[in-house]
Amino acid sequence: MTDSDRHLTIVDHPLVQHKLTIMRDKDTPTAVFRQLLREISQLLAYEVTRHLPLAIKHIETPMREMDAPTLAGKKLALISILRAGNGLLDGVLELIPSARVGFVGLYRDEETLKPVQYYFKVPEGLDDRLVIVVDPMLATGNSSVAAVDLLKNAGATNIRFLCLLAAPEGIARMKEAHPDVPIVTAAVDEKLNEVGYIVPGLGDAGDRMFGTK
Ligand code: URA
């Protein structure tokens, strides 16, 4: 499950699966949904950062000196795809407080059905950072592919995609467009419905975390 060369990693840890089941339940209240998303985001972050390089630092414990591992100072950027990405962002940021943060806003043009950018603000020096894109639902993949296109245009070369749920269609679309971007998810569901929602899924992640419906 943790091979860095793999395009797709499914985090099948029992804690993740248990929390995800509660989140899927339509009767789970907004506050619980949001809290669980925060908790799962940290468990998923564990996996998406598994390959961060380490360096050795010489320290002194109360007992003696030692050479101990420490993060190699590789700069990180977390990029949230608005608005649902923000539900994953906070938990990951808590684990990696020094990460820089960016936001990509896209909406779907109802005529062309193509994603249109309405906001783009990302940290400088993306070419020098590991960029972790967060969005809970990888559904059609249209907005994810568009967001990664924008980030590559802004210089990013080392990108990972972190989501909670994915549809086979979205994974295939991302793999075709961006085979160099590994995906970490808690589950791959059966399919998309006719309006692009993941089935069985959990509904609209933004509405469920912000209580907008
Ligand atoms: N976005 C969501 O919030 N839910 C889906 O099922 C698909 C896209």
Side-chain angles (χ1 to χ4, degrees):
M1 285 292 165
T2 58
D3 181 342
S4 66
D5 296 331
R6 288 254 298 266
H7 186 254
L8 177 68
T9 299
I10 301 169
V11 182
D12 59 357
H13 191 286
L15 281 178
V16 172
Q17 295 305 313
H18 177 80
K19 290 176 195 292
L20 176 58
T21 296
I22 302 172
M23 293 180 74
R24 287 182 188 273
D25 189 329
K26 66 179 176 44
D27 294 325
T28 296
T30 300
V32 177
F33 186 94
R34 203 164 36 222
Q35 174 60 27
L36 288 168
L37 185 56
R38 187 187 194 89
E39 292 171 11
I40 287 195
S41 73
Q42 299 195 327
L43 297 166
L44 296 176
Y46 179 83
E47 204 53 53
V48 82
T49 55
R50 177 175 287 276
H51 303 283
L52 285 183
L54 292 171
I56 297 302
K57 182 179 180 186
H58 192 75
I59 60 166
E60 235 178 283
T61 80
M63 312 300 288
R64 52 158 248 211
E65 295 185 12
M66 74 174 287
D67 290 324
T70 180
L71 287 174
K74 178 102 190 147
K75 296 188 231 159
L76 245 131
L78 304 175
I79 308 293
S80 169
I81 302 184
L82 298 172
R83 70 181 161 155
N86 286 10
L88 284 176
L89 177 67
D90 289 349
V92 180
L93 199 51
E94 211 168 274
L95 278 189
I96 318 167
S98 62
R100 302 299 164 92
V101 179
F103 298 92
V104 178
L106 299 162
Y107 71 87
R108 190 166 73 151
D109 183 298
E110 290 308 331
E111 271 178 26
T112 63
L113 299 184
K114 296 228 167 80
V116 181
Q117 172 193 331
Y118 66 86
Y119 191 75
F120 189 76
K121 185 82 181 170
V122 297
E124 286 179 355
L126 279 193
D127 51 331
D128 200 26
R129 300 179 187 276
L130 168 62
V131 174
I132 300 176
V133 180
V134 296
D135 188 1
M137 309 298 270
L138 176 55
T140 61
N142 288 340
S143 56
S144 312
V145 165
V148 172
D149 284 341
L150 290 168
L151 292 167
K152 285 185 174 175
N153 285 340
T157 55
N158 186 8
I159 304 175
R160 290 169 177 258
F161 190 88
L162 179 62
C163 60
L164 176 65
L165 268 186
E169 295 89 334
I171 293 167
R173 174 108 171 75
M174 275 287 276
K175 186 165 188 175
E176 193 195 347
H178 297 295
D180 57 317
V181 175
I183 297 166
V184 172
T185 185
V188 178
D189 273 10
E190 193 187 318
K191 60 177 183 184
L192 293 179
N193 70 8
E194 59 289 348
V195 288
Y197 274 74
I198 299 176
V199 179
L202 48 72
D204 188 295
D207 282 341
R208 293 208 59 195
M209 78 181 70
F210 297 121
T212 38
K213 225 176 220 170

